[in-house]
Amino acid sequence: MVDTRSTRYAIARRYMIRLRRDDFDEPAVLTKFGGVCNPRLSAEEFKRQFAYVVENEAPSLDLLHARDRTPPVR
């Protein structure tokens, strides 16, 4: 069993080459991905075929601003 909440999993996931939820926000990015699959594949068609991959993906971690959300330890 894999603990998807562990730090090790989070680090390993960051090194994976994979589709991410935010990849589907930009039509230009989808057009590029579609071109890799098939030069005639439109952004809309790519999204239709592959959006299921990221349906249950957790939101991206915002490590840059994480310290702003946690109160300082005294």
Side-chain angles (χ1 to χ4, degrees):
M1 177 169 276
V2 175
D3 181 3
T4 58
R5 295 168 296 172
S6 71
T7 302
R8 287 181 182 194
Y9 177 83
I11 291 169
R13 186 173 167 88
R14 296 290 292 170
Y15 284 97
M16 292 178 195
I17 297 173
R18 59 186 170 75
L19 287 173
R20 297 185 328 234
R21 181 184 295 195
D22 60 338
D23 290 331
F24 288 83
D25 295 339
E26 290 291 327
V29 172
L30 292 180
T31 300
K32 288 180 185 178
F33 289 157
V36 170
C37 295
N38 177 345
R40 295 182 300 253
L41 193 63
S42 69
E44 296 80 23
E45 183 61 19
F46 183 87
K47 189 172 188 175
R48 188 185 71 71
Q49 288 185 27
F50 296 102
Y52 77 92
V53 173
V54 297
E55 279 178 352
N56 299 317
E57 180 180 293
S60 300
L61 295 175
D62 185 2
L63 299 176
L64 181 62
H65 298 100
R67 65 176 178 203
D68 298 333
R69 292 190 301 269
T70 57
V73 177
R74 294 183 184 209

